[in-house]
Amino acid sequence: MAQLTLEGINKVYPDGAHIIKNANLHIEDGEFTVFVGPSGCGKSTMLRMVAGLEEISSGDMKLDGEVVNNLSPNERGIGMVFQSYALYPHMTIYENIEFGLKLAKKLSKEEIEQAVNRVAEMLELTHLLGQKPSQLSGGQRQRVAIGRAIVRNPTLFLLDEPLSNLDAALRVRMRLQLADYHKELKSTVIYVTHDQVEAMTLADKIVVLRDGIVEQVGSPLELYHFPQTLFVAGFIGSPKMNQLAGTVINADAQHAAVEIEGCEAHAQVDASLLNQGESVTLGIRPEDVELANDGLPVRVISVEQLGTESLLYTQIVDSDQELLVRVPGTMAAERHAVLRVQLPSDKCHLFDSNEKALKRNIKMEDLVELPPQLTTETN
Ligand SMILES: Nc1ncnc2c1ncn2[C@@H]1O[C@H](COP(=O)(O)OP(=O)(O)OP(=O)(O)O)[C@@H](O)[C@H]1O
Ligand SMILES: [Mg+2]
């Protein structure tokens, strides 16, 4: 059991650098939380403060309701895998994994053996148990570091970019295994990653950090469909959401009409606070832009063919505004061709001049589509 609450947490280094700014966050017992954000925004610092490796300058850190600001890492019962991991070079892989376990609990030799073997199997390390770290590749060592933390079955498990050294195929396998591991053991996890797919697939909750500030917290699909700021809109989703500069023509609580380079686009948002002539940013994901016979004219600048889909990098005609369009891989699109696109109003996001999103007049339930179901006739 581990519930974590951060209340007004700040981190100021002795050199005066204010790295974490008034962070408030609640993580439920058993939740898989993912921290994302640009390099240097404070993800590792936050994690190290949770672990007890970094002093908290002000604010309260609570584990299951108890303030733990002054508890040592061991007293917090936390398992951690670092961005740069360190194994004991003189010990075998078996001993490295076993070490974490011996520290934490009193167990019989058989229990220890069972636990180490189980973790080794899960991490595909069984054949390496007798080796020394120096005989392993970087990816293999990283898996040992994960094993050493997992084997203790910690109530709170912190992972800082644990898969970053692995090749693509192994990353996918490890991602699925971590998801299984979490479902099985239900420990509370905080996971830092730069990888969009890891964040979207593993997280119950994503925390977007920006320059030491918690920018938005929500489920992966909440952040994807309802980003509250332009920053989150640009950060969640790959390739990123298109952002077009426009001015308000008409606005009410149900919708806004926006002029973009002489063309009109509409967004189903509560725009009652917008004024005519105001500058706004219209956001639309590349997969939501529709090719049509009329609409906004765009010129194809380059094409990336990915097989299942193609990415058309376009520019609005007579303008320097760019628009990325995602089309099926079977569509033959040529460089320099001029196409016309529609921006469906229910897919458009709108951001005011402070980069805050206007509330969409659409709910998560509206976005759910059910697949056609096969009915089995019994008679
Ligand atoms: N001891 C220190 N003294 C002063 N500033 C520090 C110290 N340690 C880290 N920082 C600064 O804190 C900021 C946040 O660093 P942190 O390692 O938390 O970033 P991060 O989000 O984990 O980045 P990355 O994605 O690159 O791992 C950086 O600007 C870094 O320079
Ligand atoms: Mg980091």
Side-chain angles (χ1 to χ4, degrees):
M1 295 288 280
Q3 227 184 63
L4 180 73
T5 310
L6 310 188
E7 288 175 1
I9 293 283
N10 283 281
K11 177 70 193 178
V12 184
Y13 278 109
D15 64 359
H18 195 168
I19 301 300
I20 301 294
K21 298 160 187 158
N22 190 32
N24 292 293
L25 186 65
H26 181 73
I27 294 173
E28 288 294 340
D29 182 34
E31 211 163 41
F32 199 119
T33 300
V34 174
F35 286 177
V36 297
S39 186
C41 70
K43 304 178 296 293
S44 296
T45 306
M46 282 270 267
L47 222 55
R48 291 171 55 80
M49 284 199 286
V50 173
L53 297 167
E54 200 76 72
E55 202 185 319
I56 296 167
S57 306
S58 65
D60 281 336
M61 168 100 53
K62 294 179 179 172
L63 253 180
D64 294 325
E66 301 280 333
V67 175
V68 296
N69 288 35
N70 297 319
L71 293 191
S72 72
N74 258 343
E75 289 168 314
R76 296 187 193 189
I78 288 173
M80 178 147 181
V81 179
F82 298 95
Q83 209 166 349
S84 56
Y85 44 89
L87 303 176
Y88 301 106
H90 59 287
M91 294 185 189
T92 64
I93 301 313
Y94 185 95
E95 288 162 347
N96 261 284
I97 297 178
E98 178 191 39
F99 187 78
L101 200 53
K102 276 185 170 166
L103 268 187
K105 297 178 187 144
K106 263 215 128 17
L107 294 174
S108 71
K109 196 163 176 288
E110 289 73 38
E111 285 171 313
I112 289 179
E113 214 173 280
Q114 229 175 24
V116 174
N117 285 335
R118 186 168 163 274
V119 165
E121 202 171 307
M122 165 183 162
L123 296 168
E124 300 175 29
L125 291 169
T126 307
H127 61 297
L128 299 172
L129 284 174
Q131 314 253 33
K132 294 274 173 64
S134 60
Q135 297 168 288
L136 269 52
S137 73
Q140 289 167 336
R141 282 182 224 173
Q142 181 71 317
R143 280 183 280 152
V144 178
I146 295 175
R148 197 172 52 179
I150 283 184
V151 77
R152 293 171 61 177
N153 197 4
T155 49
L156 180 57
F157 193 23
L158 311 177
L159 296 135
D160 196 347
E161 305 198 38
L163 308 184
S164 52
N165 292 323
L166 309 184
D167 69 43
L170 191 55
R171 255 182 114 111
V172 173
R173 281 217 298 284
M174 290 285 299
R175 190 176 80 217
L176 293 169
Q177 278 171 350
L178 277 174
D180 279 353
Y181 161 79
H182 176 250
K183 275 203 195 85
E184 195 181 319
L185 296 179
K186 300 191 171 55
S187 42
T188 311
V189 178
I190 307 180
Y191 189 100
V192 174
T193 183
H194 274 109
D195 185 305
Q196 289 277 335
V197 180
E198 278 176 27
M200 293 300 282
T201 55
L202 288 171
D204 296 314
K205 183 189 257 174
I206 296 181
V207 176
V208 182
L209 285 171
R210 176 195 195 181
D211 197 15
I213 291 171
V214 175
E215 180 91 353
Q216 190 174 345
V217 179
S219 72
L221 291 184
E222 257 163 30
L223 296 200
Y224 188 79
H225 293 294
F226 302 97
Q228 285 167 2
T229 64
L230 204 51
F231 177 80
V232 175
F235 198 81
I236 300 288
S238 178
K240 66 184 269 205
M241 185 189 282
N242 289 297
Q243 301 181 357
L244 299 172
T247 46
V248 177
I249 305 171
N250 212 313
D252 59 38
Q254 291 312 309
H255 104 297
V258 176
E259 187 190 308
I260 295 164
E261 308 292 354
C263 290
E264 214 174 286
H266 297 260
Q268 292 179 21
V269 296
D270 178 354
S272 46
L273 293 178
L274 288 183
N275 297 312
Q276 219 177 328
E278 203 171 322
S279 294
V280 286
T281 304
L282 186 128
I284 185 159
R285 298 215 176 264
E287 58 270 32
D288 292 331
V289 177
E290 289 176 1
L291 300 181
N293 291 324
D294 58 358
L296 193 62
V298 298
R299 177 170 283 112
V300 179
I301 305 297
S302 62
V303 179
E304 266 181 2
Q305 290 184 320
L306 302 173
T308 50
E309 63 185 27
S310 292
L311 299 175
L312 312 182
Y313 292 84
T314 75
Q315 213 166 38
I316 301 177
V317 171
D318 294 331
S319 144
D320 56 8
Q321 297 215 60
E322 293 169 1
L323 187 76
L324 180 59
V325 187
R326 204 168 179 168
V327 296
T330 46
M331 186 168 289
E334 298 279 332
R335 267 183 77 194
H336 307 306
V338 173
L339 310 170
R340 286 191 182 261
V341 297
Q342 292 280 347
L343 314 176
S345 65
D346 58 339
K347 300 286 170 54
C348 285
H349 301 245
L350 207 62
F351 303 88
D352 65 19
S353 50
N354 295 319
E355 306 197 342
K356 293 265 179 293
L358 300 173
K359 190 170 171 291
R360 296 180 76 190
N361 286 324
I362 222 165
K363 295 190 189 66
M364 189 69 91
E365 301 90 88
D366 304 334
L367 299 168
V368 176
E369 277 176 58
L370 288 175
Q373 306 239 341
L374 284 181
T375 49
T376 356
E377 309 246 341
T378 47
N379 56 4

